PDB file of all heavy atoms in Angstrom:
ATOM      1  N   LYS T   1      -1.161   2.559  -7.840  1.00  0.00           N
ATOM      2  CA  LYS T   1      -0.183   2.624  -8.925  1.00  0.00           C
ATOM      3  C   LYS T   1       0.926   1.617  -8.621  1.00  0.00           C
ATOM      4  O   LYS T   1       1.544   1.674  -7.554  1.00  0.00           O
ATOM      5  CB  LYS T   1       0.404   4.034  -9.048  1.00  0.00           C
ATOM      6  CG  LYS T   1      -0.648   5.122  -9.266  1.00  0.00           C
ATOM      7  CD  LYS T   1      -0.005   6.494  -9.297  1.00  0.00           C
ATOM      8  CE  LYS T   1      -1.063   7.599  -9.339  1.00  0.00           C
ATOM      9  NZ  LYS T   1      -1.838   7.577 -10.579  1.00  0.00           N
ATOM     10  N   GLU T   2       1.157   0.702  -9.564  1.00  0.00           N
ATOM     11  CA  GLU T   2       2.174  -0.324  -9.356  1.00  0.00           C
ATOM     12  C   GLU T   2       3.566   0.292  -9.263  1.00  0.00           C
ATOM     13  O   GLU T   2       3.889   1.231  -9.987  1.00  0.00           O
ATOM     14  CB  GLU T   2       2.124  -1.354 -10.494  1.00  0.00           C
ATOM     15  CG  GLU T   2       0.841  -2.160 -10.535  1.00  0.00           C
ATOM     16  CD  GLU T   2       0.810  -3.140 -11.700  1.00  0.00           C
ATOM     17  OE1 GLU T   2       1.504  -2.861 -12.710  1.00  0.00           O
ATOM     18  OE2 GLU T   2       0.117  -4.153 -11.605  1.00  0.00           O
ATOM     19  N   ASP T   3       4.367  -0.249  -8.374  1.00  0.00           N
ATOM     20  CA  ASP T   3       5.713   0.274  -8.183  1.00  0.00           C
ATOM     21  C   ASP T   3       6.602  -0.842  -7.638  1.00  0.00           C
ATOM     22  O   ASP T   3       6.130  -1.951  -7.358  1.00  0.00           O
ATOM     23  CB  ASP T   3       5.689   1.455  -7.208  1.00  0.00           C
ATOM     24  CG  ASP T   3       6.908   2.354  -7.351  1.00  0.00           C
ATOM     25  OD1 ASP T   3       7.791   2.041  -8.175  1.00  0.00           O
ATOM     26  OD2 ASP T   3       6.985   3.367  -6.629  1.00  0.00           O
ATOM     27  N   ILE T   4       7.893  -0.557  -7.483  1.00  0.00           N
ATOM     28  CA  ILE T   4       8.830  -1.515  -6.891  1.00  0.00           C
ATOM     29  C   ILE T   4       9.720  -0.768  -5.909  1.00  0.00           C
ATOM     30  O   ILE T   4       9.838   0.459  -5.964  1.00  0.00           O
ATOM     31  CB  ILE T   4       9.720  -2.214  -7.948  1.00  0.00           C
ATOM     32  CG1 ILE T   4      10.523  -1.174  -8.745  1.00  0.00           C
ATOM     33  CG2 ILE T   4       8.882  -3.091  -8.871  1.00  0.00           C
ATOM     34  CD1 ILE T   4      11.550  -1.785  -9.670  1.00  0.00           C
ATOM     35  N   TYR T   5      10.318  -1.507  -4.987  1.00  0.00           N
ATOM     36  CA  TYR T   5      11.306  -0.938  -4.079  1.00  0.00           C
ATOM     37  C   TYR T   5      12.439  -1.948  -3.920  1.00  0.00           C
ATOM     38  O   TYR T   5      12.298  -3.124  -4.265  1.00  0.00           O
ATOM     39  CB  TYR T   5      10.687  -0.600  -2.723  1.00  0.00           C
ATOM     40  CG  TYR T   5      10.330  -1.791  -1.865  1.00  0.00           C
ATOM     41  CD1 TYR T   5      11.187  -2.243  -0.867  1.00  0.00           C
ATOM     42  CD2 TYR T   5       9.128  -2.476  -2.054  1.00  0.00           C
ATOM     43  CE1 TYR T   5      10.867  -3.337  -0.076  1.00  0.00           C
ATOM     44  CE2 TYR T   5       8.792  -3.575  -1.275  1.00  0.00           C
ATOM     45  CZ  TYR T   5       9.662  -4.001  -0.289  1.00  0.00           C
ATOM     46  OH  TYR T   5       9.347  -5.081   0.479  1.00  0.00           O
ATOM     47  N   VAL T   6      13.568  -1.488  -3.412  1.00  0.00           N
ATOM     48  CA  VAL T   6      14.726  -2.348  -3.201  1.00  0.00           C
ATOM     49  C   VAL T   6      14.828  -2.641  -1.713  1.00  0.00           C
ATOM     50  O   VAL T   6      14.899  -1.723  -0.885  1.00  0.00           O
ATOM     51  CB  VAL T   6      16.019  -1.682  -3.703  1.00  0.00           C
ATOM     52  CG1 VAL T   6      17.210  -2.598  -3.464  1.00  0.00           C
ATOM     53  CG2 VAL T   6      15.900  -1.349  -5.184  1.00  0.00           C
ATOM     54  N   ASP T   7      14.822  -3.917  -1.336  1.00  0.00           N
ATOM     55  CA  ASP T   7      14.862  -4.286   0.075  1.00  0.00           C
ATOM     56  C   ASP T   7      16.291  -4.269   0.614  1.00  0.00           C
ATOM     57  O   ASP T   7      17.247  -3.899  -0.086  1.00  0.00           O
ATOM     58  CB  ASP T   7      14.205  -5.654   0.306  1.00  0.00           C
ATOM     59  CG  ASP T   7      14.965  -6.803  -0.358  1.00  0.00           C
ATOM     60  OD1 ASP T   7      16.126  -6.600  -0.781  1.00  0.00           O
ATOM     61  OD2 ASP T   7      14.402  -7.909  -0.447  1.00  0.00           O
ATOM     62  N   ALA T   8      16.457  -4.659   1.878  1.00  0.00           N
ATOM     63  CA  ALA T   8      17.758  -4.600   2.536  1.00  0.00           C
ATOM     64  C   ALA T   8      18.800  -5.502   1.885  1.00  0.00           C
ATOM     65  O   ALA T   8      20.001  -5.289   2.036  1.00  0.00           O
ATOM     66  CB  ALA T   8      17.604  -4.972   4.012  1.00  0.00           C
ATOM     67  N   LYS T   9      18.344  -6.509   1.148  1.00  0.00           N
ATOM     68  CA  LYS T   9      19.256  -7.419   0.458  1.00  0.00           C
ATOM     69  C   LYS T   9      19.605  -6.941  -0.945  1.00  0.00           C
ATOM     70  O   LYS T   9      20.326  -7.605  -1.679  1.00  0.00           O
ATOM     71  CB  LYS T   9      18.641  -8.814   0.386  1.00  0.00           C
ATOM     72  CG  LYS T   9      18.419  -9.462   1.743  1.00  0.00           C
ATOM     73  CD  LYS T   9      17.786 -10.844   1.582  1.00  0.00           C
ATOM     74  CE  LYS T   9      17.562 -11.499   2.933  1.00  0.00           C
ATOM     75  NZ  LYS T   9      16.923 -12.842   2.803  1.00  0.00           N
ATOM     76  N   GLY T  10      19.040  -5.794  -1.321  1.00  0.00           N
ATOM     77  CA  GLY T  10      19.285  -5.264  -2.656  1.00  0.00           C
ATOM     78  C   GLY T  10      18.403  -5.874  -3.719  1.00  0.00           C
ATOM     79  O   GLY T  10      18.647  -5.685  -4.916  1.00  0.00           O
ATOM     80  N   GLU T  11      17.356  -6.590  -3.310  1.00  0.00           N
ATOM     81  CA  GLU T  11      16.451  -7.244  -4.265  1.00  0.00           C
ATOM     82  C   GLU T  11      15.217  -6.385  -4.497  1.00  0.00           C
ATOM     83  O   GLU T  11      14.711  -5.736  -3.585  1.00  0.00           O
ATOM     84  CB  GLU T  11      16.050  -8.625  -3.736  1.00  0.00           C
ATOM     85  CG  GLU T  11      17.221  -9.581  -3.559  1.00  0.00           C
ATOM     86  CD  GLU T  11      16.783 -10.917  -2.972  1.00  0.00           C
ATOM     87  OE1 GLU T  11      15.607 -11.037  -2.565  1.00  0.00           O
ATOM     88  OE2 GLU T  11      17.620 -11.839  -2.908  1.00  0.00           O
ATOM     89  N   LYS T  12      14.716  -6.397  -5.740  1.00  0.00           N
ATOM     90  CA  LYS T  12      13.528  -5.623  -6.088  1.00  0.00           C
ATOM     91  C   LYS T  12      12.270  -6.344  -5.629  1.00  0.00           C
ATOM     92  O   LYS T  12      12.119  -7.536  -5.849  1.00  0.00           O
ATOM     93  CB  LYS T  12      13.476  -5.384  -7.603  1.00  0.00           C
ATOM     94  CG  LYS T  12      14.598  -4.488  -8.117  1.00  0.00           C
ATOM     95  CD  LYS T  12      14.470  -4.247  -9.609  1.00  0.00           C
ATOM     96  CE  LYS T  12      15.576  -3.321 -10.107  1.00  0.00           C
ATOM     97  NZ  LYS T  12      15.465  -3.085 -11.577  1.00  0.00           N
ATOM     98  N   ARG T  13      11.385  -5.584  -4.985  1.00  0.00           N
ATOM     99  CA  ARG T  13      10.145  -6.131  -4.470  1.00  0.00           C
ATOM    100  C   ARG T  13       8.963  -5.286  -4.954  1.00  0.00           C
ATOM    101  O   ARG T  13       9.104  -4.076  -5.135  1.00  0.00           O
ATOM    102  CB  ARG T  13      10.160  -6.138  -2.938  1.00  0.00           C
ATOM    103  CG  ARG T  13      11.303  -6.921  -2.323  1.00  0.00           C
ATOM    104  CD  ARG T  13      11.138  -8.407  -2.536  1.00  0.00           C
ATOM    105  NE  ARG T  13      12.176  -9.170  -1.851  1.00  0.00           N
ATOM    106  CZ  ARG T  13      12.332 -10.473  -1.974  1.00  0.00           C
ATOM    107  NH1 ARG T  13      11.522 -11.166  -2.748  1.00  0.00           N
ATOM    108  NH2 ARG T  13      13.300 -11.097  -1.330  1.00  0.00           N
ATOM    109  N   PRO T  14       7.788  -5.915  -5.146  1.00  0.00           N
ATOM    110  CA  PRO T  14       6.610  -5.153  -5.591  1.00  0.00           C
ATOM    111  C   PRO T  14       5.994  -4.344  -4.463  1.00  0.00           C
ATOM    112  O   PRO T  14       6.066  -4.714  -3.283  1.00  0.00           O
ATOM    113  CB  PRO T  14       5.657  -6.254  -6.061  1.00  0.00           C
ATOM    114  CG  PRO T  14       6.020  -7.435  -5.225  1.00  0.00           C
ATOM    115  CD  PRO T  14       7.509  -7.365  -5.049  1.00  0.00           C
ATOM    116  N   CYS T  15       5.410  -3.229  -4.816  1.00  0.00           N
ATOM    117  CA  CYS T  15       4.652  -2.415  -3.875  1.00  0.00           C
ATOM    118  C   CYS T  15       3.681  -1.562  -4.689  1.00  0.00           C
ATOM    119  O   CYS T  15       3.642  -1.652  -5.913  1.00  0.00           O
ATOM    120  CB  CYS T  15       5.564  -1.536  -3.016  1.00  0.00           C
ATOM    121  SG  CYS T  15       6.513  -0.309  -3.937  1.00  0.00           S
ATOM    122  N   TYR T  16       2.909  -0.753  -4.026  1.00  0.00           N
ATOM    123  CA  TYR T  16       1.982   0.144  -4.698  1.00  0.00           C
ATOM    124  C   TYR T  16       2.100   1.535  -4.100  1.00  0.00           C
ATOM    125  O   TYR T  16       2.381   1.696  -2.906  1.00  0.00           O
ATOM    126  CB  TYR T  16       0.534  -0.338  -4.550  1.00  0.00           C
ATOM    127  CG  TYR T  16       0.186  -1.559  -5.360  1.00  0.00           C
ATOM    128  CD1 TYR T  16       0.329  -2.833  -4.817  1.00  0.00           C
ATOM    129  CD2 TYR T  16      -0.277  -1.451  -6.669  1.00  0.00           C
ATOM    130  CE1 TYR T  16       0.023  -3.970  -5.552  1.00  0.00           C
ATOM    131  CE2 TYR T  16      -0.598  -2.580  -7.417  1.00  0.00           C
ATOM    132  CZ  TYR T  16      -0.440  -3.832  -6.852  1.00  0.00           C
ATOM    133  OH  TYR T  16      -0.751  -4.955  -7.593  1.00  0.00           O
ATOM    134  N   GLU T  17       1.877   2.530  -4.941  1.00  0.00           N
ATOM    135  CA  GLU T  17       1.671   3.880  -4.468  1.00  0.00           C
ATOM    136  C   GLU T  17       0.163   4.053  -4.329  1.00  0.00           C
ATOM    137  O   GLU T  17      -0.577   3.889  -5.299  1.00  0.00           O
ATOM    138  CB  GLU T  17       2.262   4.908  -5.428  1.00  0.00           C
ATOM    139  CG  GLU T  17       3.782   4.928  -5.473  1.00  0.00           C
ATOM    140  CD  GLU T  17       4.384   5.329  -4.135  1.00  0.00           C
ATOM    141  OE1 GLU T  17       3.766   6.156  -3.428  1.00  0.00           O
ATOM    142  OE2 GLU T  17       5.467   4.815  -3.776  1.00  0.00           O
ATOM    143  N   VAL T  18      -0.281   4.354  -3.135  1.00  0.00           N
ATOM    144  CA  VAL T  18      -1.710   4.402  -2.843  1.00  0.00           C
ATOM    145  C   VAL T  18      -2.178   5.857  -2.815  1.00  0.00           C
ATOM    146  O   VAL T  18      -1.636   6.677  -2.074  1.00  0.00           O
ATOM    147  CB  VAL T  18      -2.017   3.732  -1.485  1.00  0.00           C
ATOM    148  CG1 VAL T  18      -3.521   3.686  -1.241  1.00  0.00           C
ATOM    149  CG2 VAL T  18      -1.425   2.319  -1.442  1.00  0.00           C
ATOM    150  N   THR T  19      -3.160   6.192  -3.651  1.00  0.00           N
ATOM    151  CA  THR T  19      -3.691   7.543  -3.690  1.00  0.00           C
ATOM    152  C   THR T  19      -4.643   7.765  -2.514  1.00  0.00           C
ATOM    153  O   THR T  19      -4.945   6.842  -1.745  1.00  0.00           O
ATOM    154  CB  THR T  19      -4.449   7.794  -4.994  1.00  0.00           C
ATOM    155  OG1 THR T  19      -5.633   6.971  -5.001  1.00  0.00           O
ATOM    156  CG2 THR T  19      -3.585   7.459  -6.211  1.00  0.00           C
ATOM    157  N   LYS T  20      -5.150   8.991  -2.404  1.00  0.00           N
ATOM    158  CA  LYS T  20      -6.101   9.287  -1.332  1.00  0.00           C
ATOM    159  C   LYS T  20      -7.359   8.448  -1.507  1.00  0.00           C
ATOM    160  O   LYS T  20      -7.928   7.950  -0.524  1.00  0.00           O
ATOM    161  CB  LYS T  20      -6.443  10.771  -1.338  1.00  0.00           C
ATOM    162  CG  LYS T  20      -7.146  11.246  -0.075  1.00  0.00           C
ATOM    163  CD  LYS T  20      -7.236  12.761  -0.042  1.00  0.00           C
ATOM    164  CE  LYS T  20      -7.836  13.229   1.274  1.00  0.00           C
ATOM    165  NZ  LYS T  20      -7.894  14.709   1.347  1.00  0.00           N
ATOM    166  N   LYS T  21      -7.796   8.255  -2.770  1.00  0.00           N
ATOM    167  CA  LYS T  21      -8.953   7.404  -3.035  1.00  0.00           C
ATOM    168  C   LYS T  21      -8.668   5.969  -2.610  1.00  0.00           C
ATOM    169  O   LYS T  21      -9.539   5.282  -2.070  1.00  0.00           O
ATOM    170  CB  LYS T  21      -9.309   7.439  -4.527  1.00  0.00           C
ATOM    171  CG  LYS T  21      -9.966   8.724  -4.999  1.00  0.00           C
ATOM    172  CD  LYS T  21     -10.346   8.606  -6.470  1.00  0.00           C
ATOM    173  CE  LYS T  21     -11.054   9.853  -6.963  1.00  0.00           C
ATOM    174  NZ  LYS T  21     -11.426   9.719  -8.402  1.00  0.00           N
ATOM    175  N   GLY T  22      -7.447   5.517  -2.870  1.00  0.00           N
ATOM    176  CA  GLY T  22      -7.071   4.161  -2.484  1.00  0.00           C
ATOM    177  C   GLY T  22      -7.100   3.983  -0.978  1.00  0.00           C
ATOM    178  O   GLY T  22      -7.555   2.950  -0.462  1.00  0.00           O
ATOM    179  N   CYS T  23      -6.622   5.014  -0.247  1.00  0.00           N
ATOM    180  CA  CYS T  23      -6.658   4.950   1.212  1.00  0.00           C
ATOM    181  C   CYS T  23      -8.087   4.924   1.719  1.00  0.00           C
ATOM    182  O   CYS T  23      -8.414   4.204   2.675  1.00  0.00           O
ATOM    183  CB  CYS T  23      -5.909   6.139   1.807  1.00  0.00           C
ATOM    184  SG  CYS T  23      -4.106   6.033   1.665  1.00  0.00           S
ATOM    185  N   GLU T  24      -8.951   5.697   1.063  1.00  0.00           N
ATOM    186  CA  GLU T  24     -10.358   5.704   1.457  1.00  0.00           C
ATOM    187  C   GLU T  24     -10.979   4.330   1.245  1.00  0.00           C
ATOM    188  O   GLU T  24     -11.759   3.844   2.082  1.00  0.00           O
ATOM    189  CB  GLU T  24     -11.118   6.754   0.658  1.00  0.00           C
ATOM    190  CG  GLU T  24     -10.745   8.188   1.039  1.00  0.00           C
ATOM    191  CD  GLU T  24     -11.363   9.213   0.103  1.00  0.00           C
ATOM    192  OE1 GLU T  24     -11.990   8.805  -0.899  1.00  0.00           O
ATOM    193  OE2 GLU T  24     -11.209  10.418   0.364  1.00  0.00           O
ATOM    194  N   LEU T  25     -10.603   3.681   0.137  1.00  0.00           N
ATOM    195  CA  LEU T  25     -11.126   2.346  -0.145  1.00  0.00           C
ATOM    196  C   LEU T  25     -10.665   1.346   0.923  1.00  0.00           C
ATOM    197  O   LEU T  25     -11.463   0.547   1.429  1.00  0.00           O
ATOM    198  CB  LEU T  25     -10.667   1.884  -1.531  1.00  0.00           C
ATOM    199  CG  LEU T  25     -11.114   0.490  -1.972  1.00  0.00           C
ATOM    200  CD1 LEU T  25     -12.630   0.416  -2.090  1.00  0.00           C
ATOM    201  CD2 LEU T  25     -10.461   0.121  -3.307  1.00  0.00           C
ATOM    202  N   ILE T  26      -9.391   1.407   1.245  1.00  0.00           N
ATOM    203  CA  ILE T  26      -8.854   0.517   2.285  1.00  0.00           C
ATOM    204  C   ILE T  26      -9.515   0.813   3.630  1.00  0.00           C
ATOM    205  O   ILE T  26      -9.870  -0.090   4.391  1.00  0.00           O
ATOM    206  CB  ILE T  26      -7.324   0.668   2.387  1.00  0.00           C
ATOM    207  CG1 ILE T  26      -6.655   0.170   1.108  1.00  0.00           C
ATOM    208  CG2 ILE T  26      -6.781  -0.085   3.605  1.00  0.00           C
ATOM    209  CD1 ILE T  26      -5.163   0.454   1.025  1.00  0.00           C
ATOM    210  N   GLY T  27      -9.703   2.107   3.923  1.00  0.00           N
ATOM    211  CA  GLY T  27     -10.305   2.507   5.191  1.00  0.00           C
ATOM    212  C   GLY T  27     -11.736   2.029   5.350  1.00  0.00           C
ATOM    213  O   GLY T  27     -12.174   1.720   6.469  1.00  0.00           O
ATOM    214  N   HIS T  28     -12.469   1.930   4.231  1.00  0.00           N
ATOM    215  CA  HIS T  28     -13.859   1.474   4.298  1.00  0.00           C
ATOM    216  C   HIS T  28     -13.951   0.017   4.743  1.00  0.00           C
ATOM    217  O   HIS T  28     -15.003  -0.421   5.214  1.00  0.00           O
ATOM    218  CB  HIS T  28     -14.550   1.643   2.938  1.00  0.00           C
ATOM    219  CG  HIS T  28     -14.959   3.051   2.657  1.00  0.00           C
ATOM    220  ND1 HIS T  28     -15.651   3.814   3.561  1.00  0.00           N
ATOM    221  CD2 HIS T  28     -14.763   3.850   1.563  1.00  0.00           C
ATOM    222  CE1 HIS T  28     -15.876   5.018   3.047  1.00  0.00           C
ATOM    223  NE2 HIS T  28     -15.338   5.064   1.847  1.00  0.00           N
ATOM    224  N   LYS T  29     -12.872  -0.719   4.574  1.00  0.00           N
ATOM    225  CA  LYS T  29     -12.867  -2.137   4.961  1.00  0.00           C
ATOM    226  C   LYS T  29     -12.539  -2.310   6.440  1.00  0.00           C
ATOM    227  O   LYS T  29     -12.640  -3.422   6.974  1.00  0.00           O
ATOM    228  CB  LYS T  29     -11.848  -2.912   4.116  1.00  0.00           C
ATOM    229  CG  LYS T  29     -12.130  -2.895   2.615  1.00  0.00           C
ATOM    230  CD  LYS T  29     -13.422  -3.628   2.288  1.00  0.00           C
ATOM    231  CE  LYS T  29     -13.672  -3.655   0.789  1.00  0.00           C
ATOM    232  NZ  LYS T  29     -14.923  -4.376   0.465  1.00  0.00           N
ATOM    233  N   LEU T  30     -12.130  -1.233   7.090  1.00  0.00           N
ATOM    234  CA  LEU T  30     -11.773  -1.308   8.497  1.00  0.00           C
ATOM    235  C   LEU T  30     -12.910  -0.765   9.358  1.00  0.00           C
ATOM    236  O   LEU T  30     -13.611   0.169   8.964  1.00  0.00           O
ATOM    237  CB  LEU T  30     -10.498  -0.499   8.763  1.00  0.00           C
ATOM    238  CG  LEU T  30      -9.258  -0.913   7.956  1.00  0.00           C
ATOM    239  CD1 LEU T  30      -8.124   0.072   8.219  1.00  0.00           C
ATOM    240  CD2 LEU T  30      -8.831  -2.328   8.313  1.00  0.00           C
ATOM    241  N   THR T  31     -13.075  -1.331  10.519  1.00  0.00           N
ATOM    242  CA  THR T  31     -14.147  -0.889  11.410  1.00  0.00           C
ATOM    243  C   THR T  31     -13.584  -0.542  12.786  1.00  0.00           C
ATOM    244  O   THR T  31     -12.447  -0.886  13.122  1.00  0.00           O
ATOM    245  CB  THR T  31     -15.206  -2.002  11.586  1.00  0.00           C
ATOM    246  OG1 THR T  31     -14.571  -3.182  12.110  1.00  0.00           O
ATOM    247  CG2 THR T  31     -15.859  -2.336  10.261  1.00  0.00           C
ATOM    248  N   GLY T  32     -14.389   0.143  13.561  1.00  0.00           N
ATOM    249  CA  GLY T  32     -14.022   0.441  14.933  1.00  0.00           C
ATOM    250  C   GLY T  32     -12.804   1.331  15.073  1.00  0.00           C
ATOM    251  O   GLY T  32     -12.522   2.184  14.228  1.00  0.00           O
ATOM    252  N   LYS T  33     -12.063   1.105  16.139  1.00  0.00           N
ATOM    253  CA  LYS T  33     -10.905   1.928  16.479  1.00  0.00           C
ATOM    254  C   LYS T  33      -9.848   1.905  15.383  1.00  0.00           C
ATOM    255  O   LYS T  33      -9.276   2.937  15.039  1.00  0.00           O
ATOM    256  CB  LYS T  33     -10.307   1.423  17.790  1.00  0.00           C
ATOM    257  CG  LYS T  33      -9.102   2.212  18.267  1.00  0.00           C
ATOM    258  CD  LYS T  33      -8.592   1.669  19.594  1.00  0.00           C
ATOM    259  CE  LYS T  33      -7.370   2.436  20.066  1.00  0.00           C
ATOM    260  NZ  LYS T  33      -6.867   1.899  21.369  1.00  0.00           N
ATOM    261  N   LYS T  34      -9.603   0.719  14.798  1.00  0.00           N
ATOM    262  CA  LYS T  34      -8.583   0.600  13.761  1.00  0.00           C
ATOM    263  C   LYS T  34      -8.927   1.462  12.554  1.00  0.00           C
ATOM    264  O   LYS T  34      -8.062   2.129  11.978  1.00  0.00           O
ATOM    265  CB  LYS T  34      -8.429  -0.867  13.340  1.00  0.00           C
ATOM    266  CG  LYS T  34      -7.338  -1.093  12.301  1.00  0.00           C
ATOM    267  CD  LYS T  34      -7.161  -2.561  11.984  1.00  0.00           C
ATOM    268  CE  LYS T  34      -6.482  -3.295  13.121  1.00  0.00           C
ATOM    269  NZ  LYS T  34      -6.116  -4.682  12.744  1.00  0.00           N
ATOM    270  N   GLY T  35     -10.206   1.456  12.171  1.00  0.00           N
ATOM    271  CA  GLY T  35     -10.637   2.255  11.028  1.00  0.00           C
ATOM    272  C   GLY T  35     -10.507   3.741  11.284  1.00  0.00           C
ATOM    273  O   GLY T  35     -10.068   4.502  10.414  1.00  0.00           O
ATOM    274  N   VAL T  36     -10.874   4.172  12.498  1.00  0.00           N
ATOM    275  CA  VAL T  36     -10.777   5.592  12.854  1.00  0.00           C
ATOM    276  C   VAL T  36      -9.326   6.055  12.849  1.00  0.00           C
ATOM    277  O   VAL T  36      -8.990   7.111  12.306  1.00  0.00           O
ATOM    278  CB  VAL T  36     -11.407   5.839  14.246  1.00  0.00           C
ATOM    279  CG1 VAL T  36     -11.130   7.273  14.707  1.00  0.00           C
ATOM    280  CG2 VAL T  36     -12.910   5.597  14.206  1.00  0.00           C
TER     281      VAL T  36
END
């Protein structure tokens, strides 16, 4: 889900809210110790 946050300089920056499905998708791209 697209979102924004305000950084230390007070400027708006893009970010995402990642659901559990999104985390699973990201996790599938990782292997070995990092993925676990």
Side-chain angles (χ1 to χ4, degrees):
K1 303 177 187 295
E2 295 178 334
D3 201 358
I4 58 172
Y5 71 97
V6 180
D7 65 13
K9 297 179 180 179
E11 298 177 352
K12 294 182 179 180
R13 302 290 185 186
C15 63
Y16 288 91
E17 290 297 326
V18 185
T19 67
K20 194 170 185 178
K21 286 183 178 180
C23 286
E24 290 172 354
L25 179 63
I26 294 172
H28 282 311
K29 299 295 182 180
L30 302 174
T31 58
K33 181 178 179 180
K34 183 176 287 189
V36 172

